[in-house]
Amino acid sequence: MLAALALAPALAQDSGEARARKIIGGSCFLCHGAEGESASEVFPRLAGQNAEYIAKQLENFKSGKRKSTAMASMVTELTLDDMVALGRFYAARPPHKEAAQDAALAGVGRYIYQSGNKWSGVPSCASCHGAEGAGSTTLPRLAGQHAAYLETQLKQFSKRERNNDNAVMHTVVEKMTGLEMAAVSEYLSGK
């Protein structure tokens, strides 16, 4: 009896991974890749993303708090357990590593990410997302993400087209120039 109880968490994790793989094999892989390694800058890389953050975003897509015509139909049948399983699956995958394509632009982005811009009032991104861009349970991992995807998200925050998340982002991004958004995105893509 005690042996069965000791194995229960491992079995639950195995069934969660099996559940996630089945869902991913049915649709997620088309945009995000089989292991969350999305090759298209249109779709985010999910490998290494924080599990709780993924589950929250899936729930937000399902409830309509986060708008996406592509994701709306993908989440309609997902249960909370499915969302948690997907989050755990992707969080357990190694994050993407690739050098930034524009080293000079990434250098500007590194400065803004780590120190902010005292002349425009843009705070350090690292103060919330962490020095390495790993995020937290409530904030996304940004390191290794596609530069174009990050820049698109920043623009959506600045236009308040994305408002399901941290309202602090609206205040931060409204101070950022297009160059600052591009630079920070380029820097993070190479982390």
Side-chain angles (χ1 to χ4, degrees):
M1 177 79 168
L2 290 176
L5 289 174
L7 289 175
L11 293 174
Q13 188 169 358
D14 287 346
S15 68
E17 182 162 336
R19 173 191 298 222
R21 285 192 182 278
K22 183 177 180 181
I23 296 165
I24 291 163
S27 59
C28 305
F29 80 97
L30 294 168
C31 299
H32 300 288
E35 298 287 315
E37 76 285 3
S38 169
S40 171
E41 60 190 27
V42 174
F43 306 109
R45 291 181 172 132
L46 301 177
Q49 186 57 268
N50 302 309
E52 296 88 347
Y53 182 79
I54 288 176
K56 178 186 181 281
Q57 295 309 304
L58 291 170
E59 187 282 322
N60 283 186
F61 283 125
K62 186 171 182 169
S63 71
K65 288 180 188 173
R66 183 168 177 190
K67 309 291 184 213
S68 170
T69 53
M71 286 300 297
S73 63
M74 297 292 155
V75 297
T76 56
E77 301 298 318
L78 293 181
T79 66
L80 181 57
D81 287 342
D82 294 338
M83 294 175 198
V84 169
L86 287 166
R88 288 181 179 159
F89 176 86
Y90 286 125
R93 298 304 168 276
H96 188 78
K97 296 283 184 189
E98 182 178 294
Q101 294 188 9
D102 185 331
L105 185 61
V108 172
R110 179 178 181 264
Y111 178 83
I112 296 164
Y113 184 86
Q114 293 179 347
S115 304
N117 182 346
K118 66 181 178 182
W119 295 277
S120 66
V122 173
S124 156
C125 308
S127 63
C128 291
H129 291 278
E132 298 302 314
S136 67
T137 58
T138 58
L139 297 173
R141 173 186 185 83
L142 302 175
Q145 193 55 263
H146 293 291
Y149 178 80
L150 289 173
E151 189 173 358
T152 297
Q153 296 307 300
L154 289 171
K155 288 177 181 177
Q156 286 182 350
F157 275 117
S158 74
K159 296 176 189 172
R160 299 195 186 250
E161 291 172 358
R162 180 161 176 197
N163 54 22
N164 70 308
D165 277 326
N166 192 333
V168 171
M169 281 302 296
H170 295 138
T171 305
V172 170
V173 178
E174 70 187 13
K175 297 174 184 177
M176 293 180 80
T177 66
L179 173 63
E180 289 171 327
M181 289 182 202
V184 167
S185 298
E186 184 67 20
Y187 167 67
L188 287 164
S189 73
K191 282 253 340 115

